[in-house]
Amino acid sequence: MSKKQTKKLITPEIFHQAVIGSFVKLNPRYMMKNPVMFVVEVGCFITLLLSFLPGLFGDIATSNLRVYNIIVCVVLFVTVLFANFAESVAEGRGKAQAASLKKTQKDTTAHLLGSDGSTTDIRSSELKKNDVVLVSAGEIIPGDGEVIEGVASVDESAITGESAPVVRESGGDFCSVTGGTTVVSDWLKIRITSDPGNSFLDRMIALVEGASRKKTPNEIALNTLLVSLTIIFLIVIVTLYPMAVYSGVQLQISTLIALAVCLIPTTIGGLLSAIGIAGMDRVTRFNVIAMSGKAVEACGDVDTMILDKTGTITYGNRLAADFFPVEGADRSELIRCAALTCLHDDTPEGKSTLELARRMGDNSTETPGSNFIEFTAQTRMSGVDIPNGTKIRKGAAEAIENYVKEQGGHIPQNLREEVEKISSLGGTPLTVCENNRILGVIYLKDTVKAGMAERFERLRAIGIKTIMCTGDNPLTAATIAKEAGVDGFIAECKPEDKIEVIKKEQAEGKIVAMTGDGTNDAPALAQANVGLAMNSGTTAAKEAANMVDLDSDPTKILEVVEIGKQLLITRGSLTTFSIANDIAKYFAIIPAMFMMAIPELGVLNIMHLATPYSAILSALIFNAIIIPCLIPLAMKGVKYRPMSSGKMLLRNMMIFGVGGVITPFVGIKLIDMIIHPLLALLGL
């Protein structure tokens, strides 16, 4: 994956907070939110009563039974603490990140601009939405906003961790700034876009602290399954007692409680909340802020991914690679005219064209009085009007053809051939004309990023369809799509086209993800199930999306989807492991409960556990210690490998299903060997 912030799983500070949180969460009102562990807590309370009143429920009161009840009570208490500890560790990591973000929140002085141009110094906490402030080099931007005037370098390391400053300027998709970042050079006039307490940083802090975290649909469904299993096992345990009495078998209440705790899915019940919190924490460590756990989980179910071509699949900056004259035009004349149109063109295309022309020996300079024509979406061309009446234009082939026809000129026969040749190479053709004569074509090369084809193949392997969106003509789009290895493309794409394809996919029951940074991307980001906005993009895009990438790396949508898959796989794997655990614990406890009265059941004691008491306590202790042992796996996640759902299910069944059966057999036997001599000293 891409840039990753390395961090210890549990720091001393997180450990200290988690220990405190483990006890705080013992409050029954909180424990009721996790029904499985609430049952364990109730069992702990009942065995505590039995420790002081061993004959309370009709058991034969003996000193040995009192000791046994105390041990069961202690183990159950530790089980609940371990489950709370797992959740507290996950929360602690989020709070640690929130604390680091809070350090960037400073009540700085803001230079508020009045309508008359006057400046008033106020505290940044007093700023309101639509206030306009002036921020100069070395000063901290006092709040979220959009640049309305000026160009400056901004240090966003406090938010993104990236040391290299970025350029922010008015207009376009790179006008958004975040409060707490620092202006490194020049100055910016900024319109504040959020009220106090509602800034992007404020929302980030609330999110990583988990204050606004809600259980996701899959988490709710799994929780419902766990509650259902718990109820079923409780019914079984309740009916087991009268059956045992009828059979003449004396069962202690504490033993029945131990059986219930071991058979209900306590392992996944204790780790479920931690897994969900860790999912949000995991994307945060990759510098992606998820607005909800639902957004992270939705990533794991993505069926279709919509990606922009420029900056995502390709490097984005189309650079001039060559000049192709048409119908007898002189190549040096084509280069000269192309250079003249680019003297005031600050786009990457314009700068690279001028640079290429200079390398080829052209030294054309600006004629005093020249009028430079900027590119617009309506005209689809730019150029220069020279005082001697010469008009030079460069732009899309169709636009230049129409312009030349209006001027009474003709279209060279080999123009279309040159345009199609460049398009077939995956480049972008820019046609150049002087007055009513077309001189030739500039070849702008757009390069697919290294490794993209392999990454799309990985997505295809797990059933995710990729669709590329581009404003290029169909021929160019087809060439790039083929080279990149995407499953489909939309050429000459407009914002409404993105929404249309998203709705079409969703109508077929598919989960759709997309990435964007501009205001025109906002509707599509809001429509998609997973919308990843760039932090460098507009406020509208960030408000519409349910995830924000602080690194502004459009390709990170691929990593985010893999993190979502990893979250679902982790939850499923640990659920499989937890349920498989119950099989081994069944063979430990059931024979121990009945084999004294029904010796024939001894055949089920395949682990050859020493005594009924040691068998029950060994299973109960294993049930407790397996929870903290699995915390690292719950936090880091099961390693993700792209594969089909069938292969993934088979792999997890072999590793976590079979492993979930074998591990308790080994663990319970080892614990039995350790505690049997100790219990013998206590007379058990």
Side-chain angles (χ1 to χ4, degrees):
M1 292 186 179
S2 61
K3 185 178 81 173
K4 182 177 180 179
Q5 298 174 1
T6 58
K7 182 191 294 186
K8 290 182 179 179
L9 179 65
I10 303 178
T11 64
E13 184 179 357
I14 291 177
F15 180 83
H16 177 71
Q17 292 176 349
V19 170
I20 295 175
S22 301
F23 288 91
V24 172
K25 293 178 187 293
L26 291 173
N27 187 326
R29 289 181 297 179
Y30 182 86
M31 292 299 298
M32 288 179 70
K33 297 177 182 178
N34 188 341
V36 177
M37 299 314 300
F38 180 66
V39 169
V40 181
E41 186 176 50
V42 171
C44 177
F45 177 74
I46 293 174
T47 53
L48 179 63
L49 290 178
L50 292 173
S51 299
F52 294 98
L53 303 170
L56 181 63
F57 296 105
D59 293 345
I60 299 175
T62 64
S63 58
N64 288 350
L65 180 61
R66 186 188 300 272
V67 172
Y68 173 69
N69 290 340
I70 291 174
I71 295 174
V72 172
C73 177
V74 171
V75 175
L76 293 181
F77 181 70
V78 172
T79 303
V80 177
L81 281 183
F82 281 163
N84 289 346
F85 180 78
E87 185 173 353
S88 297
V89 167
E91 291 177 348
R93 286 164 65 86
K95 290 177 180 178
Q97 288 191 337
S100 66
L101 290 173
K102 285 177 180 178
K103 292 178 182 178
T104 67
Q105 284 191 313
K106 301 175 182 177
D107 195 6
T108 57
T109 299
H111 308 304
L112 180 65
L113 292 176
S115 56
D116 58 352
S118 61
T119 302
T120 305
D121 289 347
I122 64 172
R123 291 187 301 175
S124 59
S125 58
E126 298 175 2
L127 288 173
K128 301 183 296 296
K129 190 174 181 178
N130 293 323
D131 282 346
V132 177
V133 297
L134 178 66
V135 186
S136 302
E139 296 179 342
I140 295 175
I141 295 175
D144 293 357
E146 291 186 345
V147 178
I148 59 175
E149 189 177 335
V151 180
S153 296
V154 178
D155 178 5
E156 296 185 340
S157 59
I159 305 296
T160 67
E162 180 60 55
S163 58
V166 294
V167 176
R168 293 289 176 260
E169 57 187 329
S170 60
D173 294 338
F174 296 93
C175 62
S176 177
V177 292
T178 305
T181 56
T182 306
V183 174
V184 177
S185 67
D186 304 293
W187 56 271
L188 294 174
K189 191 179 290 186
I190 301 168
R191 178 183 290 112
I192 301 298
T193 56
S194 63
D195 288 317
N198 293 317
S199 69
F200 178 58
L201 196 57
D202 289 318
R203 295 197 303 275
M204 284 168 56
I205 291 170
L207 288 165
V208 297
E209 281 184 324
S212 59
R213 180 182 178 271
K214 297 180 181 179
K215 288 188 176 181
T216 62
N218 280 343
E219 198 173 348
I220 293 172
L222 181 55
N223 202 55
T224 303
L225 172 64
L226 299 183
V227 171
S228 301
L229 289 174
T230 300
I231 293 173
I232 291 172
F233 280 120
L234 287 177
I235 293 173
V236 170
I237 300 304
V238 169
T239 57
L240 190 62
Y241 185 76
M243 291 174 61
V245 173
Y246 179 78
S247 301
V249 178
Q250 178 65 38
L251 291 180
Q252 290 84 10
I253 298 300
S254 53
T255 297
L256 290 174
I257 291 173
L259 177 62
V261 169
C262 285
L263 293 187
I264 63 177
T266 49
T267 304
I268 186 63
L271 295 171
L272 185 58
S273 295
I275 295 170
I277 296 171
M280 292 185 66
D281 173 69
R282 204 171 294 128
V283 295
T284 304
R285 285 185 285 125
F286 280 86
N287 267 6
V288 175
I289 298 298
M291 301 306 181
S292 67
K294 184 178 180 180
V296 181
E297 192 171 271
C299 292
D301 290 325
V302 166
D303 301 296
T304 304
M305 190 181 297
I306 312 293
L307 304 110
D308 283 328
K309 184 204 76 171
T310 306
T312 304
I313 296 174
T314 65
Y315 284 105
N317 293 336
R318 299 172 298 171
L319 306 178
D322 208 344
F323 300 95
F324 295 98
V326 295
E327 205 174 74
D330 186 70
R331 192 164 188 263
S332 60
E333 188 179 3
L334 167 62
I335 295 173
R336 179 185 63 83
C337 289
L340 287 174
T341 64
C342 297
L343 291 174
H344 284 260
D345 187 346
D346 291 330
T347 64
E349 295 89 345
K351 290 179 179 178
S352 67
T353 299
L354 183 60
E355 181 182 346
L356 181 62
R358 294 289 189 250
R359 290 204 308 267
M360 292 184 171
D362 180 79
N363 296 312
S364 302
T365 57
E366 178 182 348
T367 303
S370 295
N371 179 33
F372 288 89
I373 312 300
E374 292 186 0
F375 176 88
T376 65
Q378 289 74 30
T379 63
R380 298 173 65 196
M381 59 183 175
S382 61
V384 59
D385 292 342
I386 301 175
N388 64 8
T390 301
K391 295 183 178 181
I392 305 173
R393 297 288 186 271
K394 75 172 188 298
E398 185 180 349
I400 295 297
E401 287 176 14
N402 292 334
Y403 176 80
V404 168
K405 288 177 181 178
E406 291 174 1
Q407 302 296 320
H410 79 284
I411 309 302
Q413 292 184 356
N414 65 335
L415 174 63
R416 184 52 53 188
E417 178 184 341
E418 294 293 343
V419 168
E420 291 182 357
K421 181 174 71 173
I422 292 173
S423 298
S424 66
L425 294 173
T428 301
L430 280 185
T431 304
V432 180
C433 71
E434 184 178 23
N435 294 324
N436 63 354
R437 181 188 175 206
I438 294 180
L439 301 176
V441 184
I442 305 171
Y443 173 22
L444 298 178
K445 190 174 183 180
D446 201 357
T447 307
V448 173
K449 293 181 177 180
M452 291 304 292
E454 290 77 9
R455 298 176 81 180
F456 290 136
E457 182 59 37
R458 284 164 54 195
L459 293 174
R460 193 176 297 109
I462 57 175
I464 296 179
K465 180 171 71 174
T466 51
I467 300 176
M468 180 186 76
C469 294
T470 176
D472 290 336
N473 62 67
L475 187 57
T476 301
T479 303
I480 295 293
K482 182 179 180 181
E483 184 179 348
V486 294
D487 298 308
F489 66 90
I490 305 173
E492 298 176 345
C493 182
K494 300 182 289 295
E496 51 268 29
D497 294 330
K498 295 180 183 179
I499 298 176
E500 185 178 340
V501 72
I502 291 172
K503 289 182 176 180
K504 179 182 177 182
E505 294 290 321
Q506 289 174 333
E508 297 175 2
K510 297 178 180 178
I511 305 297
V512 183
M514 82 154 288
T515 180
D517 58 3
T519 301
N520 61 343
D521 291 324
L525 287 168
Q527 180 66 39
N529 303 90
V530 178
L532 179 65
M534 303 298 102
N535 189 41
S536 61
T538 61
T539 301
K542 289 189 282 187
E543 292 286 350
N546 50 23
M547 287 186 171
V548 177
D549 176 21
L550 301 180
D551 294 329
S552 301
D553 177 7
T555 64
K556 200 179 286 186
I557 186 72
L558 304 173
E559 275 79 10
V560 169
V561 167
E562 291 190 353
I563 291 172
K565 290 281 185 188
Q566 188 184 40
L567 169 64
L568 296 182
I569 292 169
T570 301
R571 189 179 293 155
S573 299
L574 290 181
T575 301
T576 302
F577 185 89
S578 177
I579 295 175
N581 262 243
D582 295 339
I583 298 175
K585 288 180 282 189
Y586 170 88
F587 281 101
I589 295 183
I590 295 296
M593 291 171 59
F594 290 96
M595 66 183 181
M596 298 299 289
I598 310 175
E600 291 78 7
L601 286 178
V603 70
L604 294 178
N605 185 21
I606 58 179
M607 284 184 276
H608 302 291
L609 303 178
T611 66
Y613 285 126
S614 69
I616 293 168
L617 290 176
S618 295
L620 203 59
I621 292 171
F622 176 84
N623 191 66
I625 64 176
I626 196 65
I627 294 177
C629 289
L630 290 174
I631 289 178
L633 185 62
M635 299 299 295
K636 292 183 178 180
V638 176
K639 188 174 182 180
Y640 171 76
R641 291 181 176 87
M643 62 180 68
S644 64
S645 300
K647 290 182 179 179
M648 193 177 300
L649 176 62
L650 180 61
R651 177 178 178 273
N652 287 345
M653 288 298 294
M654 290 300 296
I655 295 177
F656 295 96
V658 176
V661 173
I662 295 175
T663 303
F665 274 91
V666 176
I668 291 173
K669 179 61 178 177
L670 289 175
I671 295 172
D672 178 74
M673 294 170 63
I674 294 172
I675 69 170
H676 171 58
L678 300 177
L679 294 178
L681 294 175
L682 297 173
L684 292 173

